[in-house]
Amino acid sequence: LLASTADEQDWQPDKKQWSFRYIAAHMATVEKDCYQERVVRIAAGEKPRFESYFNTGWDFRNGN
């Protein structure tokens, strides 16, 4: 499935919808900035409380 999108990673159905590259960058950022810290702390036996995580307004066009 991923190989089939290789040549069209920046295609958007319209300007208001995200491209495949944008979605992938968003998911990678959430994994790194949000879930990773939470999983590590929970695995260490902590019972942390976290505020809601939002990365709205970020520009993922360059795969940040």
Side-chain angles (χ1 to χ4, degrees):
L1 181 62
L2 293 177
S4 70
T5 64
D7 294 333
E8 301 176 4
Q9 293 181 33
D10 295 311
W11 177 81
Q12 297 171 259
D14 67 52
K15 296 228 180 231
K16 293 183 180 181
Q17 294 183 330
W18 291 1
S19 67
F20 176 80
R21 182 188 314 269
Y22 204 95
I23 292 168
H26 166 77
M27 291 174 68
T29 300
V30 170
E31 288 291 328
K32 181 176 65 75
D33 292 349
C34 181
Y35 298 136
Q36 182 179 11
E37 178 188 353
R38 293 172 187 219
V39 169
V40 168
R41 290 181 65 187
I42 292 167
E46 294 182 42
K47 294 183 180 175
R49 299 201 41 81
F50 296 96
E51 294 183 26
S52 296
Y53 176 84
F54 298 99
N55 62 7
T56 53
W58 289 35
D59 184 357
F60 296 106
R61 286 177 290 186
N62 295 319
N64 300 348

